[in-house]
Amino acid sequence: MSEIELRDVVQRFHARGTPSGFLTAVQSTSFTLRSDPPHIVSLVGQSGSGKSTIARIILGLQRPSSGLVTYGGRDIFKLSRAEYDDYRKNVQPVFQDPYAIFNPFYRVDRVLRTAIKKFSLASTAAEASSLMEESLLAVKLDPGQVLGRYPHQLSGGQRQRIMLARVHMLRPSFIIADEPVSMLDAQVRKLFLDILTDFRTTYGMTTLFITHDLSTVYYIGGEVMVITRGRIVEKGPVSTVMHTPSHPYTQLLLASVPQPDPDARWTDRIDIAQATAAEAGPEVPPEDEALEARVP
Ligand SMILES: Nc1ncnc2c1ncn2[C@@H]1O[C@H](COP(=O)(O)OP(=O)(O)O)[C@@H](O)[C@H]1O
Ligand SMILES: [Mg+2]
């Protein structure tokens, strides 16, 4: 079993126009992702709540201002190059806009071939081809239809599933998926989420599924962490959090989901002022102020 653990992770950014000159994007955050049993945990919160910053920190793309991220008990920012490469093979990202990952001048195959080369997944060209085909089929893509194409010749859903085919080839223990379905339409979104679930059951991959959209959290099930203003305010099984939310922010988030029934009316009243005050807390915790003063 492997574990990714975040312990008291804090991320500050320089921000003009704020009294301290800093903005705390992630406030003392701790949680653990475990590969055994494999599961899907959602991180849900509105735009600007710190979700992508957490994803970048886990992927080692951003060093936090303070706190620790460990993998197998070791600080990921202290790994050797070879160890970090191994970590990144085991912890694969899927981002919101796959179009940004593809180079428009190269055929989409390149995304897969680069992974095969970088991680030495095949020793012959024939082996590489069969590996690509197998992985494309696993994400319900027809190799004949996508291989040899340029990114603009594919739909957003096809491009995103090529990223999943890449994940399938690498068989990581963890997937960090940052708003992976936000740009897809409902049908393709469902297909994508079903493939993630399939990866969990078939290959034992654990996914951190990041989204601002509660309906996808509900669909995918498992566990959920609710984040607001850089702070995780509620965690638990999706069914519990959705049916008996304990934090005012979660209640507000749930109340903001439009009801599909035009005759349905809200029955619960939520005191917005109270909810906002509760979620806001002190803007910068007092102990942080002293720390910030020391940051050059
Ligand atoms: N590199 C950066 N420099 C300064 N501020 C940043 C940077 N990255 C993110 N932020 C700020 O941190 C906050 C959290 O951003 P982000 O993690 O992208 O949120 P989310 O993914 O939930 O929308 C936002 O206020 C954003 O403007
Ligand atoms: Mg984001």
Side-chain angles (χ1 to χ4, degrees):
M1 180 184 80
S2 47
E3 273 186 14
I4 300 174
E5 188 185 354
L6 278 73
R7 219 181 302 155
D8 301 323
V9 167
V10 173
Q11 181 68 61
R12 292 190 194 86
F13 291 118
H14 288 274
R16 281 199 208 117
T18 56
S20 60
F22 287 91
L23 164 162
T24 309
V26 178
Q27 314 212 21
S28 192
T29 292
S30 304
F31 62 84
T32 305
L33 299 172
R34 293 187 177 83
S35 64
D36 187 23
H39 60 286
I40 299 181
V41 52
S42 298
L43 178 63
V44 66
Q46 67 196 31
S47 168
S49 55
K51 307 182 298 295
S52 294
T53 303
I54 290 177
R56 285 201 306 275
I57 290 171
I58 294 176
L59 291 165
L61 304 174
Q62 166 114 30
R63 190 185 283 269
S65 311
S66 64
L68 260 187
V69 182
T70 61
Y71 180 65
R74 299 192 51 206
D75 184 343
I76 64 158
F77 293 96
K78 290 191 177 144
L79 299 176
S80 69
R81 185 76 229 178
E83 288 167 334
Y84 179 69
D85 283 349
D86 183 54
Y87 175 69
R88 281 302 303 272
K89 180 172 185 287
N90 268 313
V91 186
Q92 282 292 313
V94 180
F95 295 113
Q96 176 171 2
D97 177 13
Y99 199 68
I101 313 254
F102 291 101
N103 182 324
F105 299 110
Y106 290 109
R107 298 173 206 277
V108 294
D109 319 20
R110 192 178 145 96
V111 162
L112 302 178
R113 287 190 197 283
T114 309
I116 292 175
K117 213 164 137 189
K118 176 163 184 195
F119 297 106
S120 311
L121 302 177
S123 40
T124 63
E127 221 177 286
S129 293
S130 71
L131 192 60
M132 287 198 294
E133 284 174 20
E134 182 200 331
S135 291
L136 289 169
L137 290 171
V139 298
K140 317 276 188 287
L141 283 172
D142 177 353
Q145 275 196 3
V146 295
L147 290 176
R149 297 272 189 121
Y150 288 93
H152 71 269
Q153 294 176 313
L154 301 183
S155 69
Q158 286 174 319
R159 284 194 293 264
Q160 197 59 306
R161 273 182 289 148
I162 289 187
M163 296 318 294
L164 277 187
R166 186 178 179 282
V167 168
H168 180 269
M169 287 194 325
L170 293 167
R171 305 282 158 85
S173 306
F174 297 96
I175 304 173
I176 308 299
D178 188 1
E179 304 264 12
V181 296
S182 299
M183 289 168 71
L184 307 181
D185 61 46
Q187 214 174 353
V188 186
R189 186 174 292 182
K190 181 178 175 307
L191 176 59
F192 187 99
L193 298 176
D194 290 344
I195 294 170
L196 274 189
T197 305
D198 176 46
F199 279 7
R200 185 201 63 208
T201 29
T202 312
Y203 307 106
M205 298 181 198
T206 285
T207 297
L208 177 65
F209 176 74
I210 298 176
T211 183
H212 64 273
D213 173 26
L214 275 173
S215 63
T216 50
V217 173
Y218 198 72
Y219 183 76
I220 214 160
E223 304 272 317
V224 62
M225 303 187 284
V226 180
I227 184 171
T228 177
R229 301 193 183 203
R231 197 185 290 279
I232 292 174
V233 293
E234 187 155 2
K235 291 184 193 191
V238 168
S239 51
T240 313
V241 172
M242 296 273 187
H243 292 124
T244 49
S246 61
H247 193 276
Y249 175 73
T250 316
Q251 293 166 0
L252 194 65
L253 203 62
L254 282 163
S256 318
V257 177
Q259 291 275 339
D261 178 357
D263 295 326
R265 291 283 174 268
W266 304 124
T267 49
D268 298 333
R269 290 228 152 259
I270 292 191
D271 184 336
I272 295 192
Q274 196 191 341
T276 313
E279 61 145 312
E283 203 184 333
V284 179
E287 72 272 22
D288 284 14
E289 265 163 25
L291 243 176
E292 285 189 7
R294 272 186 265 127
V295 180

